[in-house]
């Protein structure tokens, strides 16, 4: 097990190195931050002075080496636009993104798995039929349209929920301000979390449903029914545990994608998360912010995948890590 | 993958959604209880830094102007007013004299004095923190002239006729607290002498301003302001129709009509300062070297159709680059009206009866409906036989291309923060001379020596009225030469919620100066 984790960590490190290289290289080709940074009336000489002060006149490999060296020392550089340290800018935004993604994931997993089981167990019920049709919308409706529709219905037509923002937050520790402890925070969270989780919900539901249909025909489930166990026990104890393995894989893999999708959701709902910051920074060629964001998110995803791999062992004792 | 798919669907479906959001003027029950002295403002582009001199973009200066003072400020009608300087005078070509205001305190308790002015001007030269490098480089010294040190002379290395006009953008910083704090701290926690203190800033979410008790001037009637950046058009519209904000800046032209129909909201518009125009080169051997060809392009563009169909009427046709308050604007320059027949005739005379091919470059994320305008111009010019290849690219790629003079024909927008056509000319139309700093944004390398001479002549004149006349002459020369093709002035649109009873006058510079606003209760 230790060996296995060590090997995965090593692989993760290589992935991070490659990701950081790509994110760094992309910027060689898009945009020139110096033009904005020097101001629009700057002369060529003044632009050169800015490039020099920022180290942008150095060859690519030197810049990349400096970047890596600084990152290893926890220094992600200064934003070209805000002219303040990048790490703080991202870290103060990350809790908002993670809270949104986390709540969206829970929403998706809870409803996805429950509905999937029900649909598989009772395929002819009305709820099942509605759910299966609805899941098609969930998979195919673009996040953008879903978000705008939800705002239209629940913020403008029925003024129940606020259309945008994050509401009141409570300071927890360090960079973490949470909206999960206030009523206004939850009110602001519902629409974006539903928007973000919708696709995942539909996907998990279909996955659980097909897995369950298969499992229900397995011998051990027939045995369980034959023993006269209650439907709850059969469905949740015997069936679900076996169905969950692909579901957990999917959740682990998709969590990273949720963080990615959250860029769109955050933009629609003006959710003050890191995705929102990323989009702004790309528009502004604020390269240090983008590079740091991509590196941090890659780190997060590497860690999540590791957790998923380890959790297999607990869900199914037959999986052994050699 | 799914994230990708949303892009193309966006525009169409989104507009429908947004229009629907607005069409219903729903009563605002989600609105927070509004107090008379509290204002909530939505903006399309939020502030990104609180580092004065670190941003020459209006979205940043608009907020910073509430926290900081400058030596000279502009009132709502655009006239210069005393601020930290009580009076000023140009005493010779290169020297400006300022009398400083006494008894002004920073929000951290420090006193304002001449050393802060000197410090600010020196800071402007630092490439690590400043976007005003060019202006900073012009200043050679800041020093007191009398014993009590409340009168100072600022000397420039060459005559800078627009010096005072540019000062409202230069916010004076506290020397002590700026030097003792890190660059990051300074950019996040502003300390100024202005009417408001920044009390909280959750980036991407909200920025709170509270009236500063120790402000030297008249206490503002609005005590608390919350600025909410809302980037997405439809969400911003939802914010004003649900009463989440009292004032909204940045109404997309497509949705202005829906705002007008909403019974709870008033649309407030004013002509924007920024003009949109096309620039082209006159290099020997290219079709556009011939003034008749440039004029033919001008005549073949149906600007009225662009304004009506693409901008939904929310723009004014332009005949020149500067806007009326800019020095050098000439009201007698008239727009050439659309005339396709005449355009064809001119092209024939110039030897291009069969037309020619040219690439129109332009940004697709910078100006109002820029991409659509570029496409429409290509279609209109094709009617005159000119084959236009359109290259609409992100601004982050476009502006470097222009700065490297790698374009032949391009769409760009401009206004001068110092209200001076001379400065605009030097940057956009002067023959390219990178050493002297001329023609930096002259992407197609247009060059006319006679006009450059007139520009040099205007710059040598100290008397403001004489200089204005010389700049007007330069402007007329540029129009005669068809050195560029004017299109229109953009319009600045705002929405005010009726319930807030906000007394709001939109400013030419688009800054939100909260001390000049009041909620009429």
């Amino acid at each position: 097990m230790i060996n296995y984790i060590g090997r995965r960590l090593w692989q993760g490190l290589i992935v991070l190195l490659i990701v950081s290289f790509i994110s760094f290289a992309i910027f060689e080709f898009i945009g020139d931050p110096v033009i904005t940074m020097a101001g629009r009336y700057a002369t060529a000489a003044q632009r050169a002075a800015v490039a020099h002060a920022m180290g942008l006149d150095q060859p690519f490999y030197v810049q990349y080496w400096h970047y890596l060296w600084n990152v290893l020392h926890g220094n992600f550089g200064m934003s070209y636009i805000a002219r303040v340290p990048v790490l703080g800018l991202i870290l103060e935004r990350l809790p908002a993104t993670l809270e949104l993604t986390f709540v969206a994931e829970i929403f998706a997993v809870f409803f996805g798995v429950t509905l999937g089981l029900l649909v598989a167990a009772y395929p002819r019920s009305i709820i099942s039929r509605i759910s299966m049709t609805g899941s098609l919308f969930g998979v195919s409706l673009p996040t953008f349209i879903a978000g705008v529709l939800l705002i239209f219905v629940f913020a403008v037509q029925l003024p129940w929920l606020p259309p945008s923002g994050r509401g009141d937050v409570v300071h927890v520790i360090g960079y973490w301000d949470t909206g999960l402890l206030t009523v206004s925070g939850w009110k602001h969270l519902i629409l974006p979390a539903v928007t973000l989780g919708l696709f995942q919900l539909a996907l998990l539901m279909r996955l659980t449903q097909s897995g369950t249909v298969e499992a229900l025909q397995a011998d051990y489930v027939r045995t369980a029914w034959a023993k006269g166990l209650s439907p709850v026990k059969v469905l949740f104890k015997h069936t679900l545990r076996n169905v969950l393995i692909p579901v957990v894989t999917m959740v682990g893999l998709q969590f990273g994608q949720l963080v990615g999708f959250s860029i769109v959701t955050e933009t629609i709902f003006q959710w003050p998360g890191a995705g929102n910051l990323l989009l702004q920074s790309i528009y502004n060629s604020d390269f240090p912010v983008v590079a740091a964001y991509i590196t941090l998110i890659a780190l997060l995803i590497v860690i999540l995948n590791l957790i998923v791999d380890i959790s297999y062992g607990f869900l199914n004792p037959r999986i052994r890590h050699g | 993958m799914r994230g990708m798919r949303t892009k193309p669907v966006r525009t169409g479906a989104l507009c429908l959604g947004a229009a629907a959001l607005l069409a219903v003027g729903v009563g605002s029950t989600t609105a927070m209880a509004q107090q008379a002295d509290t204002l909530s403002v939505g903006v399309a582009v939020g502030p990104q830094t609180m580092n004065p001199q670190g941003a020459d973009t209006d979205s940043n200066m608009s907020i910073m102007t509430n926290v900081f003072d400058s030596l000279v400020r502009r009132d709502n009608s655009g006239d210069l007013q005393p601020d930290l300087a009580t009076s000023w005078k140009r005493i010779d070509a290169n020297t400006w004299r300022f009398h400083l205001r006494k008894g002004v305190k920073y929000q951290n308790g420090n006193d304002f004095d001449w050393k802060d002015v000197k410090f600010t001007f020196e800071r402007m030269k630092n490439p690590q923190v400043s976007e005003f490098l060019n202006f900073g480089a012009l200043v050679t010294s800041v020093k007191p002239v009398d014993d009590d040190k409340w009168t100072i002379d600022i000397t420039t290395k060459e005559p800078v006729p627009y010096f005072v006009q540019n000062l409202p953008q230069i916010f004076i910083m506290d020397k002590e607290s700026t030097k003792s704090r890190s660059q990051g701290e300074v950019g996040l926690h502003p300390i100024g002498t202005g009417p408001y203190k920044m009390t909280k800033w959750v980036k991407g979410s909200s920025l709170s301003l509270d009236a500063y008790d120790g402000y030297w001037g008249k206490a503002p009637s609005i005590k608390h302001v919350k600025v909410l950046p809302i980037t997405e058009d439809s969400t911003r519209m939802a914010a004003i129709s649900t009463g989440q904000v009292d004032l909204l800046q940045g109404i997309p032209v497509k949705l202005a009509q829906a705002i007008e129909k909403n019974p709870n909201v008033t649309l407030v518009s004013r002509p924007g300062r920024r003009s949109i125009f096309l620039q082209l080169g006159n290099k020997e051997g290219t079709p556009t070297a011939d003034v008749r060809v440039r004029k033919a392009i001008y005549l073949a563009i149906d600007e009225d159709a662009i304004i009506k169909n693409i901008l939904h009427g929310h723009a004014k046709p332009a005949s020149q680059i500067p806007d009326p308050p800019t020095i050098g604007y000439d009201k007698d320059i008239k727009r050439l009206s659309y005339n396709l027949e005449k355009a064809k005739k001119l092209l024939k005379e110039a030897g291009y009866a069969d037309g020619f091919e040219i690439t129109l470059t332009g940004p697709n994320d910078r100006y109002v409906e820029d991409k659509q305008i570029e496409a429409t111009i290509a279609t209109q010019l094709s009617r005159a036989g000119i084959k236009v290849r359109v290259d609409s690219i992100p601004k982050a790629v476009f502006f470097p291309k222009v700065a490297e003079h790698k374009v032949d024909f391009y769409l760009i927008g401009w206004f001068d923060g110092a209200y001076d056509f001379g400065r605009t000319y030097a940057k956009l139309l002067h023959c390219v001379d990178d050493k002297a700093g001329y023609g930096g944004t002259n992407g197609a390398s247009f060059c006319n020596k006679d006009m450059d001479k007139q520009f040099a002549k205007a710059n040598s004149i100290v008397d403001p009225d004489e200089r204005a006349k010389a700049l007007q002459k330069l402007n007329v020369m540029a129009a005669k030469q068809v050195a560029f093709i004017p299109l229109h002035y953009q319009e600045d649109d705002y929405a005010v919620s009726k319930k807030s009873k906000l007394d709001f006058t939109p400013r030419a510079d688009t800054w939100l100066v909260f001390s000049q606003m009041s909620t009429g209760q």
Side-chain angles (χ1 to χ4, degrees), chain A residues 31-32 35-44 46-47 50 53-54 78 81-85 89 92-93 138-145 148 151-152 155-157 159 161 163-164 199 261 267-268 270 272 280 283-285, chain B residues 2-3 5-6 9-10 13-14 20-21 24 26 29-30 48-49 51 54 56 127-131 133-134 137 183-184 187-188 203-205 229-232 234-235 238 242 244 395-396 399-400 403 414-416 423 427 437:
Chain A
D32 181 358
I35 294 204
T36 349
M37 291 176 84
R40 57 180 176 154
Y41 285 103
T43 62
Q46 284 156 353
R47 281 182 189 149
V50 172
M54 303 290 160
M78 286 271 189
I81 302 295
R83 296 182 195 252
V84 304
L89 284 182
E92 71 181 352
R93 298 277 198 117
V139 176
S140 52
L141 197 64
T143 312
F144 209 91
I145 307 290
V148 171
I151 293 180
F152 176 58
V156 178
Q157 284 287 7
L161 295 167
S164 62
F199 175 73
F261 284 163
T267 308
I268 309 168
Q270 192 60 40
Q280 285 292 313
Y283 282 144
N284 295 324
S285 312
Chain B
R2 201 162 144 264
R5 213 190 308 148
T6 59
V9 193
R10 236 174 96 160
L14 173 62
L21 286 183
V24 278
V26 181
T29 43
T30 50
Q48 287 176 305
T49 183
N51 169 23
D56 68 354
Q128 292 281 359
V129 293
S130 168
E131 280 191 10
L133 292 172
N134 188 47
Q183 187 188 325
L188 296 172
K203 270 160 250 93
S205 175
I230 308 174
T231 356
E232 203 44 61
S234 55
T235 315
T242 58
Q244 199 184 24
K395 62 180 180 195
F399 286 105
W414 201 263
F415 68 91
D416 180 48
R423 208 156 80 123
K427 201 69 197 166

Side-chain angles (χ1 to χ4, degrees), chain B residues 5 38 66 71 83 167 190 213 256 258 413 418-419:
Chain B
R5 213 190 308 148
T38 303
N66 294 288
L71 287 177
D83 206 14
L167 289 181
D213 298 335
Y419 294 75

Side-chain angles (χ1 to χ4, degrees), chain A:
Chain A
M1 190 75 184
I2 303 275
N3 233 338
Y4 174 78
I5 294 177
R7 206 167 62 226
R8 291 306 306 264
L9 278 177
W10 178 236
Q11 288 166 350
L13 215 64
I14 293 173
V15 168
L16 285 182
L17 204 67
I18 295 172
V19 166
S20 75
F21 180 80
I22 294 174
S23 67
F24 200 89
I26 287 172
F27 269 80
E28 283 289 286
F29 306 101
I30 42 170
D32 181 358
V34 174
I35 294 204
T36 349
M37 291 176 84
R40 57 180 176 154
Y41 285 103
T43 62
Q46 284 156 353
R47 281 182 189 149
V50 172
H52 182 71
M54 303 290 160
L56 292 166
D57 53 346
Q58 305 269 338
F60 174 73
Y61 62 91
V62 178
Q63 286 189 46
Y64 181 59
W65 175 248
H66 278 288
Y67 174 72
L68 274 190
W69 186 252
N70 286 332
V71 166
L72 286 177
H73 291 79
N75 174 9
F76 282 86
M78 286 271 189
S79 152
Y80 291 158
I81 302 295
R83 296 182 195 252
V84 304
V86 162
L87 194 61
L89 284 182
I90 296 180
L91 289 184
E92 71 181 352
R93 298 277 198 117
L94 219 46
T97 296
L98 292 179
E99 281 182 8
L100 169 65
T101 325
F102 190 65
V103 172
E105 184 78 75
I106 292 183
F107 161 77
V109 170
F110 181 78
F111 286 99
V113 171
T114 315
L115 286 175
L117 269 181
L118 290 178
V119 169
Y122 309 102
R124 283 189 190 82
S125 77
I126 295 278
I127 294 184
S128 298
R129 285 174 187 196
I130 294 177
S131 304
M132 283 310 270
T133 320
S135 76
L136 279 180
F137 279 101
V139 176
S140 52
L141 197 64
T143 312
F144 209 91
I145 307 290
V148 171
L149 277 177
L150 285 176
I151 293 180
F152 176 58
V153 176
F154 294 104
V156 178
Q157 284 287 7
L158 310 166
W160 293 344
L161 295 167
S164 62
R166 195 182 174 203
D168 302 331
V169 292
V170 179
H171 183 71
V172 185
I173 185 169
Y175 283 107
W176 189 16
D177 282 339
T178 183
L180 301 180
L181 295 176
T182 63
V183 175
S184 129
W186 276 101
K187 273 189 168 173
H188 282 82
L189 182 58
I190 294 174
L191 292 185
V194 168
T195 307
L196 182 58
L198 210 59
F199 175 73
Q200 204 53 270
L201 186 158
L203 202 71
L204 289 178
M205 184 187 127
R206 300 207 137 228
L207 197 69
T208 313
Q209 185 255 354
S210 63
T212 311
V213 166
E214 215 171 286
L216 285 176
Q217 281 147 28
D219 290 341
Y220 64 91
V221 178
R222 287 165 187 260
T223 315
W225 283 122
K227 277 201 298 190
L229 293 181
S230 69
V232 174
K233 259 203 165 151
V234 175
L235 277 181
F236 286 88
K237 197 172 165 212
H238 293 267
T239 316
L240 186 60
R241 213 167 146 185
N242 286 287
V243 172
L244 272 188
I245 295 202
V247 171
V248 169
T249 315
M250 189 54 89
V251 168
L253 291 176
Q254 294 268 323
F255 189 79
Q257 234 177 337
L258 271 192
V259 175
F261 284 163
S262 76
I263 296 172
V264 179
T265 311
E266 284 179 11
T267 308
I268 309 168
F269 291 96
Q270 192 60 40
W271 189 260
N276 207 322
L277 174 71
L278 176 74
L279 210 61
Q280 285 292 313
S281 305
I282 292 176
Y283 282 144
N284 295 324
S285 312
D286 197 351
F287 151 58
V289 179
V290 181
Y293 174 90
I294 295 177
T295 310
L296 286 174
I297 294 297
L299 180 70
L300 185 77
I301 291 174
V302 165
I303 294 174
L304 277 173
N305 283 348
L306 189 66
I307 295 174
V308 169
D309 286 348
I310 296 170
S311 69
Y312 282 169
F314 294 101
L315 278 170
N316 190 339
R318 280 179 302 178
I319 297 176
R320 292 273 177 270
H321 300 298

Side-chain angles (χ1 to χ4, degrees), chain B residues 280-351:
Chain B
L280 22 68
N282 61 350
K283 266 175 262 172
E284 211 53 59
T286 60
T288 52
D290 190 323
V291 65
R292 286 171 297 189
V293 173
R294 300 201 294 269
K295 199 168 171 186
I297 296 177
Y298 191 159
L299 290 167
I301 293 173
D302 185 356
E303 176 58 33
D304 292 338
I306 293 176
I307 293 179
K308 186 169 161 254
N309 301 331
I310 303 178
L311 299 167
H312 302 264
H314 293 278
K316 294 261 171 313
S319 64
Q320 49 196 301
I321 295 176
D323 60 328
T326 298
I327 293 166
Y329 174 86
D330 190 328
K331 65 176 183 350
D332 295 328
I333 301 177
K334 296 280 181 261
R335 213 192 139 74
L336 301 180
S337 42
Y338 171 64
N339 190 333
L340 191 58
E341 288 319 306
K342 207 167 156 197
K344 281 183 183 160
K345 214 178 114 208
L346 280 171
L347 281 175
K348 203 171 172 186
E349 277 173 34

